[in-house]
Each structure stands twice: as structure tokens, then as C-alpha cells.
Amino acid sequence: MAMTIAEAWPPPGRPFTVAELDRMPDDGRRYELVDGVLVVSPRPVKAHQEVAAALLVLLRQECPADLRAFHEPAVQLSPKTEFDPDIVVIPAQHLPGAKVTEPPRLVVEVRSPRTAFVDLNVKKAAYERFGVGSYWIVVPDVDHPELIVFELHEGRYEQVARVTGDEPFRAERPFAVEVVPARLVAGLLPG
């Protein structure tokens, strides 16, 4: 039986929970939850998905057997916070279940103009508190592609790299892989 948004909505004055988020209808929008506040956005455009797919293929090629890289899982950080990042890398033993509930080794967000503030501030802070080891933001600008890399050190994120165009980033965490931003956007048209 399909549920409407009104039926999934919590009573007035009470924040959303992940349980209520799970009852939201599949209507083509992306529903995420930040400290009980529902964040609704349209699904990513095809160019965004193409960049995420290119990076996912690269990560899967280099991923060691004890880790898995996959696309758009639900990552539940708490009963009132859940995100759908573009890519995560988790230990293989955490694959069972519908959601990721342990800190991923890597979370990747492909930034769009409408998500820039949330990705660089809200999500970054939430992933830091949750203990995500590495957080990457890909800026899929065809003319100036960029990769921004944060790694967790003593409970705080430090920016360890910011590469653009043909400049390579050689990751060691969560495993060795080389990422070149220009290769992620190769073939995409401007705009």
C-alpha cells in the first residue's frame, strides 16, 4: 500500500525521525534528514550521475577485497539524521542490511550548485561527528573540475588535498587510488 507524504509526516512540533523518513513515498525526490529536519531535493541530473559513476568504477577497480564501494546507500548517522551520499566505501562485513549504520571508510558527495553549502558545512560536520574516515567532495564543473579531500585526524577533519583539472590526487586512505578530476568529467558537455 502506497503512503502519501501527509501520512508519513510527524505530528506538529515534533522533529522527523528516520522511521518517518522510511515511510516517505518514492516520488522522484531525494529525502534526507538532518537533526530531525527534512531536506528535500530533486534527484541529481544525469551529468552528476555520470561523474559519480566514473568515480565509482575507478574505486571498485582499486578497492581491496575486504572493502566495498557502492552508490547512493542510505547512511543512518543517528535516529534523526540520514543521508544518501553519492558513493561510500565500507568494510565488506557491513554489507548486509538495508542501511549503512557504521561509519563508512569513505563518503563522496558530487557537489551541485544547490548542494554546495550543505556538502561543505552541514554534511561535513555530521560525517566528522559520525567518524567517517575520509570525506571527498567532487566539483563536476567541466571547465574546472575539482576534488576536495578531508581526512579525520583526532576526531576532526583536515583538508589534505584540493586538486583541479589534470592534477592527480593519490589517496592512501581508505586504500591506494589515483583520482584525476578532469577524467571524471571527460566527455561531458558544459552546462
Side-chain angles (χ1 to χ4, degrees):
M1 180 167 119
M3 182 170 282
T4 68
I5 289 176
E7 293 169 321
W9 214 264
R14 192 170 63 73
F16 263 89
T17 65
V18 169
E20 287 145 350
L21 182 68
D22 288 342
R23 293 195 308 258
M24 295 301 286
D26 184 4
D27 61 1
R29 293 182 182 92
R30 177 183 272 185
Y31 293 95
E32 295 181 301
L33 197 56
V34 180
D35 295 327
V37 176
L38 185 65
V39 178
V40 183
S41 57
R43 284 280 166 200
V45 298
K46 291 184 282 299
H48 177 115
Q49 293 172 336
E50 182 68 22
V51 170
L55 182 55
L56 181 62
V57 168
L58 175 63
L59 292 173
R60 283 187 169 178
Q61 288 172 344
E62 301 299 326
C63 197
D66 63 327
L67 297 174
R68 296 293 185 273
F70 60 103
H71 180 65
E72 281 194 9
V75 177
Q76 183 178 338
L77 287 71
S78 76
K80 293 182 182 173
T81 301
E82 181 174 295
F83 298 130
D84 293 333
D86 292 298
I87 299 171
V88 299
V89 173
I90 62 170
Q93 74 258 23
H94 293 168
L95 276 177
K99 297 181 183 201
V100 175
T101 57
E102 299 290 328
R105 301 284 175 86
L106 168 66
V107 167
V108 179
E109 294 284 0
V110 177
R111 193 178 88 185
S112 68
R114 69 180 178 273
T115 66
F117 178 81
V118 171
D119 291 346
L120 279 169
N121 294 285
V122 177
K123 287 186 176 183
K124 180 179 160 233
Y127 290 138
E128 180 182 74
R129 283 191 307 272
F130 192 51
V132 174
S134 296
Y135 179 49
W136 298 0
I137 298 174
V138 177
V139 181
D141 183 312
V142 173
D143 296 320
H144 302 287
E146 186 173 29
L147 173 64
I148 306 165
V149 177
F150 300 94
E151 290 185 356
L152 200 60
H153 294 282
E154 297 179 9
R156 303 286 300 169
Y157 275 140
E158 293 178 13
Q159 183 176 315
V160 297
R162 187 175 199 137
V163 296
T164 60
D166 290 321
E167 186 180 0
F169 168 64
R170 291 177 183 88
E172 296 301 321
R173 290 174 55 183
F175 52 85
V177 63
E178 182 178 280
V179 180
V180 178
R183 292 182 193 158
L184 300 177
V185 300
L188 294 181
L189 300 174

